[in-house]
Amino acid sequence: MKEEDSINEKSKLLTIGQFAALHGINKKTLMWYDEIGLFQPTVINPDNGYRCYNYYQSPLLETILLLRELDVSITEIQDFMQNRSAEKMKTLLEEKIAALDLQIMHLKAVRKTLCSHQQDMDTLLHIDLSEISLVEKEERCLVTVDIDKNTTFEKEVELITAETAKYQLGRLHHASYGSMLPIDSLQKGHFDDYAKLFIEIPFLQQQRGLHIQPGGTYIRAFYKGGWDGIPLRYREILEYAHNHKLSLSGFSYEKGINETVIERVEDYIIQIEIPVHCSEEMD
């Protein structure tokens, strides 16, 4: 096709239905854009009032549709269309790209949280409550708050709320929560001497003030029942470590894995994970 013929073809008028179909939208959208003065047809047939468009209007419409997809308000788009420039377009796109990046980061965090919950459910379906095993874990960055035996539940809630607010979580379910028991306390038989609460926030970057949960080998065990039975489970873990010549280090990390699917506290299952390394000699 000759260039002149191509230009003539693109200059041909399209009905509102044809132009809407070309851009994958409803023709009522074009009618509304026309009514509010945002995007108007090339001509309007004086005999029947039909709106007609040409191909050269497509880039302009696609710009409007892109901005709408980015949740730019009609008022903002109208202002831009009346004062179009490369500089204004660049600024507008930079703002929306930054907002989109935040949204993508949020969605990735939500996905990571959902995957964590999915993994917990898979564990529940195959769990052996009597089993004590060794697992490999990757390093994690945790937000922590200090507690002791005298810290009330109300105070714990206050501390958690204040700390999560710093990271703009939005919802509590966007993070995982648990307790930390120092190994020194555990080995002395002080099984209720919790020192910290931890918050695992998806995609949290390493920075000053965060607790680094080390990567490596961990003892993993589960406990179900009232809190008064936890000491017995910890004694079993200590015996397992002794028999397998394993040294415990750092903290025991506890978290519930079935809060969303139980109604009774008695059915609550705690996952216990403790960093270990092989000992040269048994105690």
Side-chain angles (χ1 to χ4, degrees):
M1 182 181 290
K2 295 180 180 179
E3 183 178 349
E4 183 178 347
D5 292 335
S6 176
I7 293 174
N8 290 335
E9 285 294 315
K10 291 180 179 178
S11 298
K12 287 183 178 179
L13 295 178
L14 302 171
T15 67
I16 188 171
Q18 291 172 325
F19 197 68
L22 178 64
H23 293 277
I25 60 175
N26 191 298
K27 65 181 182 180
K28 289 184 178 180
T29 300
L30 288 174
M31 294 172 66
W32 180 52
Y33 286 170
D34 182 18
E35 290 170 3
I36 64 176
L38 179 60
F39 182 77
Q40 297 173 320
T42 301
V43 297
I44 297 179
N45 190 311
D47 297 327
N48 52 29
Y50 288 173
R51 297 169 172 86
C52 295
Y53 302 80
N54 68 42
Y55 176 83
Y56 292 105
Q57 290 181 280
S58 287
L60 196 56
L61 177 59
E62 283 299 322
T63 299
I64 293 172
L65 296 177
L66 171 63
L67 295 176
R68 289 297 290 152
E69 191 172 345
L70 294 174
D71 290 328
V72 181
S73 70
I74 289 295
T75 301
E76 288 179 286
I77 297 176
Q78 286 176 321
D79 178 65
F80 169 74
M81 298 301 288
Q82 291 170 4
N83 303 279
R84 277 183 293 159
S85 71
E87 183 178 357
K88 290 196 67 173
M89 186 63 167
K90 179 177 180 290
T91 300
L92 185 59
L93 290 178
E94 284 175 346
E95 291 174 355
K96 296 308 172 182
I97 288 171
L100 192 60
D101 285 342
L102 287 175
Q103 185 179 4
I104 290 171
M105 186 170 66
H106 169 72
L107 290 175
K108 285 183 176 180
V110 170
R111 187 183 189 282
K112 185 174 181 180
T113 301
L114 291 177
C115 288
S116 177
H117 291 324
Q118 181 188 40
Q119 186 176 25
D120 288 344
M121 295 305 104
D122 185 63
T123 298
L124 284 173
L125 292 173
H126 302 91
I127 195 170
D128 180 352
L129 291 174
S130 65
E131 182 182 17
I132 298 177
S133 60
L134 296 178
V135 297
E136 295 298 319
K137 293 182 64 67
E138 295 181 356
E139 180 182 285
R140 298 189 301 171
C141 296
L142 304 176
V143 177
T144 61
V145 295
D146 294 331
I147 60 170
D148 56 36
K149 293 180 180 179
N150 299 318
T151 307
T152 64
F153 176 73
E154 289 77 11
K155 183 61 177 179
E156 289 181 1
V157 172
E158 179 184 327
L159 291 170
I160 288 291
T161 301
E163 203 63 32
T164 53
K166 295 179 183 179
Y167 298 91
Q168 300 179 335
L169 270 181
R171 297 290 184 271
L172 289 177
H173 61 252
H174 290 168
S176 298
Y177 302 83
S179 305
M180 295 166 58
L181 178 64
I183 295 306
D184 288 345
S185 297
L186 180 61
Q187 292 173 333
K188 292 175 182 177
H190 301 160
F191 303 113
D192 60 349
D193 194 16
Y194 293 94
K196 298 176 183 291
L197 301 177
F198 73 78
I199 312 160
E200 183 181 9
I201 300 174
F203 300 104
L204 188 62
Q205 299 297 318
Q206 185 171 336
Q207 54 186 282
R208 181 178 298 179
L210 295 180
H211 172 82
I212 305 302
Q213 181 180 357
T217 304
Y218 280 67
I219 283 181
R220 174 182 288 172
F222 299 93
Y223 171 74
K224 177 181 179 181
W227 296 107
D228 56 348
I230 290 182
L232 175 59
R233 190 54 169 158
Y234 269 122
R235 290 190 181 95
E236 292 171 348
I237 293 171
L238 290 171
E239 182 179 2
Y240 177 94
H242 178 78
N243 292 339
H244 290 78
K245 299 183 179 181
L246 299 171
S247 293
L248 310 182
S249 63
F251 293 86
S252 170
Y253 299 86
E254 298 180 6
K255 75 166 186 173
I257 62 172
N258 66 337
E259 301 102 318
T260 59
V261 293
I262 61 169
E263 296 182 2
R264 303 186 313 155
V265 175
E266 294 80 3
D267 295 326
Y268 189 73
I269 296 177
I270 297 173
Q271 176 180 278
I272 300 169
E273 295 181 331
I274 307 173
V276 297
H277 62 270
C278 292
S279 303
E280 291 298 327
E281 299 179 358
M282 292 182 62
D283 296 333

